[in-house]
Amino acid sequence: GKRFPWEERWTGILQEKLADRDIRIVEEGLCGRTTIFEDPLRLGRRGTELLPTLLETHTPDAVVLMLGTNDCQNLYSGASCRNSSEKELPWLLEQINQYADKMKVLVISPIYLGEKVWQDGYDQEFSPESVEVSKKLEPVYEKVAGKYGKRFMRAADYASPSEADQEHMDGQSHKILADAIYRKLEAEIL
């Protein structure tokens, strides 16, 4: 139910790891954010609508892009999420390229949804099919990132959903993912 404080989220942990450098992490993670879909009950969640404004507002030197889990919700026809990601992720990368065509970008395929996420007591916005689709995003993201010459990483190689909600990372997964992203940035982007 409650969001972790900044210093416990992977972005805050990553900022701490980069404290000796002149780098500022700007977190724009938002529960329910999608790539292209507009939530009729929670406005302002569509990534393609917000990304250009965020790029101009924060003027980043590099972008870490990790979206896609919420696109697997039943509301957005989770089954088509994998196929549609081949169209929507490029849209986001094109927006970044329009902002700065040499922008350093790390595309991260999101963690898998937990096997019970759709059951009573968890998130009814997902289904068993959503869980399977979440596991098939990796090759799509990797292919698209490669096509655009962007770096790629699989969050599910390092982190998993919490037992508490089967959807979001627990504190330990935030630490592990922050460390993995730090190593990837050090090796390939910074």
Side-chain angles (χ1 to χ4, degrees):
K2 196 169 128 179
R3 190 171 187 168
F4 287 108
W6 161 254
E7 63 275 3
E8 293 179 31
R9 295 192 300 270
W10 70 264
T11 46
I13 297 166
L14 182 60
Q15 180 68 72
E16 183 62 31
K17 289 178 174 294
L18 296 167
D20 62 336
R21 298 179 180 219
D22 187 24
I23 295 174
R24 180 174 62 101
I25 302 296
V26 176
E27 179 188 69
E28 281 295 341
L30 178 63
C31 186
R33 181 160 289 152
T34 66
T35 53
I36 64 154
F37 302 109
E38 188 66 68
D39 186 322
L41 301 176
R42 296 180 293 184
L43 298 178
R45 297 297 199 274
R46 187 170 55 204
T48 53
E49 183 177 298
L50 298 168
L51 184 58
T53 302
L54 296 174
L55 291 170
E56 287 187 45
T57 300
H58 300 298
T59 62
D61 294 318
V63 171
V64 175
L65 185 66
M66 183 168 64
L67 284 171
T69 302
N70 291 305
D71 294 0
C72 298
Q73 291 178 3
N74 299 324
L75 177 63
Y76 312 120
S77 300
S80 66
C81 175
R82 181 178 170 270
N83 294 329
S84 65
S85 293
E86 290 186 62
K87 297 175 185 145
E88 281 73 43
L89 184 57
W91 193 353
L92 293 165
L93 295 177
E94 288 288 346
Q95 289 176 325
I96 292 169
N97 284 345
Q98 286 173 10
Y99 172 76
D101 65 352
K102 302 291 186 217
M103 175 71 70
K104 298 174 185 174
V105 177
L106 174 59
V107 175
I108 303 178
S109 60
I111 64 170
Y112 303 146
L113 289 166
E115 297 295 329
K116 300 181 286 187
V117 69
W118 55 273
Q119 295 177 3
D120 287 340
Y122 297 106
D123 193 338
Q124 307 290 280
E125 293 177 331
F126 295 102
S127 67
E129 191 173 38
S130 300
V131 175
E132 293 310 308
V133 169
S134 76
K135 294 176 183 177
K136 295 177 181 174
L137 293 176
E138 291 173 355
V140 174
Y141 277 52
E142 185 172 24
K143 177 182 172 185
V144 172
K147 178 181 175 187
Y148 281 82
K150 307 302 183 189
R151 301 293 188 225
F152 172 74
M153 182 177 151
R154 295 170 187 82
D157 285 351
Y158 306 96
S160 56
S162 71
E163 285 298 317
D165 75 0
Q166 298 284 303
E167 186 176 351
H168 301 97
M169 293 184 292
D170 63 14
Q172 187 62 25
S173 281
H174 275 276
K175 290 177 189 174
I176 293 168
L177 184 61
D179 188 55
I181 292 172
Y182 173 77
R183 289 192 316 268
K184 184 79 168 178
L185 293 176
E186 280 281 289
E188 300 181 24
I189 294 184
L190 301 178

